[in-house]
Amino acid sequence: MEVKTIAVVGAGTMGAGIAQVAAAAGFKVILSDVAPEIVEKALSRIRESLERLAAKGKLRGSVEEVLGRIETVTGYSGMEGVDLVIEAIVEDIEKKKALFKELDQICRPEAVFCSNTSGLSITEMASATRRPDKVIGTHFFNPVPVMQLVEVIRGEETSDETYSLAVKVCEKMGKTVITVKEAPLFVVNRILVPMINEAIFVLQEGIASAEDIDKGMKLGANHPIGPLALADLIGLDVLLMVMETLYRETGDSKYRPAPLLRKMVRAGHLGRKTGRGFYRYN
């Protein structure tokens, strides 16, 4: 099957980024969310991103050409004929299953369903559909237009054809793919999240300041950003949710979230998006 039309469900930061790179690669895109103001905000964000790329000479074609390939909708309007769906909604397994169950009734039987989950079970999502062989994980990284990587995750029943199609689509978007067997948090987050958690434990125990922890990892391990600054960028609430998923799925005490992280989330200090996390932001 040749993919020509992609539906992106969820027009937040990740969904908008995925819609942008898909449209820039020549796909027709239907970008959907629950309210008109959400998709309008996403389209505005995409325009700003495209204009920055165009100013740097990094955009093939014009801004208007790319935007012309994106149709914004609320709900599931126009999804009957799409070739591939990428869900980028909230990281909640029950909500993702409910979405795929509903789309399973609407989309044509040949359509492939992809999840942008950062660590939830593809097999469980697929079980909510009548097409488990056509469900796969495509985990993009934030910011999507900049980050090169996509983790492609096969569920228990994902077919070879679905896997090959997903890889081909991601590569057409200019991404580099790594293949991952289904496991909690997949590869990158499985390694990255415990490192960030350990940095929070080091801060909690008073071993070093946030600034020195980050400076140590930048200069001593050649990381482009320190783990605590990265945590603020990700969002401490998102980080805690991801850590709790890993802890719950494995039952391994080495993955328990640092109490300091939980306390900061309860206080509403979620990082850059609230102006305060491990650092303060204007």
Side-chain angles (χ1 to χ4, degrees), residues 85-102:
V85 175
I86 302 175
E87 73 78 15
I89 66 169
V90 65
E91 195 74 342
D92 180 307
I93 189 68
E94 294 305 324
K95 289 179 180 176
K96 290 181 188 291
K97 284 165 65 179
L99 171 67
F100 277 162
K101 185 175 183 179
E102 200 159 357

Side-chain angles (χ1 to χ4, degrees), residues 117-120 122 136-139 141 149-156 158 163 167 176-190:
T117 178
S118 60
L120 298 175
I122 304 303
I136 194 164
T138 50
H139 177 213
F141 288 77
L149 183 68
V150 176
E151 291 179 315
V152 172
I153 308 100
R154 300 183 69 145
E156 181 66 27
T158 305
Y163 166 77
V167 170
T176 299
V177 166
I178 62 170
T179 303
V180 180
K181 290 182 180 178
E182 184 174 282
L185 296 201
F186 314 140
V187 170
V188 174
N189 284 338
R190 175 75 175 268

Side-chain angles (χ1 to χ4, degrees), residues 247-264:
Y247 186 33
R248 184 174 60 250
E249 287 283 328
T250 63
D252 192 330
S253 63
K254 74 180 179 180
Y255 295 127
R256 74 198 187 285
L260 175 60
L261 175 64
R262 200 179 299 279
K263 184 188 293 185
M264 292 178 72

Side-chain angles (χ1 to χ4, degrees), residues 34-47:
V34 294
E37 59 268 22
I38 299 175
V39 287
E40 285 165 14
K41 184 178 178 182
L43 202 59
S44 175
R45 190 185 301 131
I46 292 168
R47 178 181 287 279

